[in-house]
Amino acid sequence: MHDDSEVAVLRLGHRPGRDERMTTHVGLTARALGADRVWFPDNAGQSLETVEDITDRFGGPFDVELTDSPQAIIRNWEGRVVHLTMYGERVQDVEDEIRDAHRTAEEPILIVVGAEKVPFDVYEEADWNVGVTNQPHSEVAGLAVFLDRLFDGRELERDWEDADRRVIPMETGKRVEPADEE
Ligand code: SAM
């Protein structure tokens, strides 16, 4: 979130058609749960448009970009790299260390999630390979749990800027108001 050092998400791999919703949901989840930005592979332009559209309507700040060289982003990242993988160390065993790096040492964090098979270089370049359980599931679920652990729930309280609408929480029903109305 913008009161801390940067948290970015990198989506590795995108199979057009098949991965459209997953890539979009990686971006929407990164935005909703406190990351500052996401990079998608350069063939995921449609997912980029959807995430930009949601940010325009529901607020930010949140940045979404395409990259033709995801591994260069990892190599050049000036901070720490967390790769989410079912083969990694248990999140509950490493979360304190990662939170210390982020909050106390103010290190920017890059969170890498895959689609299909992730190249072994990524496992070697990461500072932490982290499993959200060691069971196979989804990059969206792994990212959501990891961000909530990283921010310790503070992401749920954040304010949104430049939204043109906001949802009014209610027990039953759906209410959306223009964002400038109190
Ligand atoms: N089979 C692929 C491999 O061996 O790299 C992974 C495919 S999985 C559907 C897609 C992505 O979901 C992974 O790259 C990882 O980022 C994420 N993922 C799946 N299960 C996970 C887990 N238990 N913990 C953390 N991330 C997970």
Side-chain angles (χ1 to χ4, degrees), residues 33-133:
L33 298 185
D36 299 289
R37 63 193 296 167
V38 69
W39 278 286
F40 292 152
D42 59 1
N43 60 350
Q46 206 170 327
S47 294
L48 171 135
E49 280 180 29
T50 304
V51 176
E52 280 182 339
D53 178 56
I54 293 289
T55 302
D56 287 346
R57 291 193 283 146
F58 288 89
F62 187 73
D63 190 50
V64 47
E65 280 179 55
L66 301 181
T67 175
D68 61 4
S69 185
Q71 283 190 249
I73 289 179
I74 299 176
R75 272 197 309 278
N76 299 329
W77 182 252
E78 293 181 359
R80 310 295 282 270
V81 176
V82 174
H83 168 223
L84 296 182
T85 164
M86 63 179 276
Y87 305 105
E89 296 181 275
R90 304 183 327 154
V91 65
Q92 60 270 46
D93 295 339
V94 292
E95 63 180 299
D96 286 349
E97 204 184 323
I98 300 173
R99 266 198 306 266
D100 277 357
H102 178 54
R103 292 198 69 186
T104 313
E106 297 189 350
E107 298 245 33
I109 303 281
L110 177 66
I111 305 166
V112 181
V113 297
E116 39 189 349
K117 196 169 166 55
V118 171
F120 197 68
D121 292 0
V122 174
Y123 290 78
E124 292 181 320
E125 279 160 357
D127 293 288
W128 294 276
N129 291 290
V130 177
V132 177
T133 75

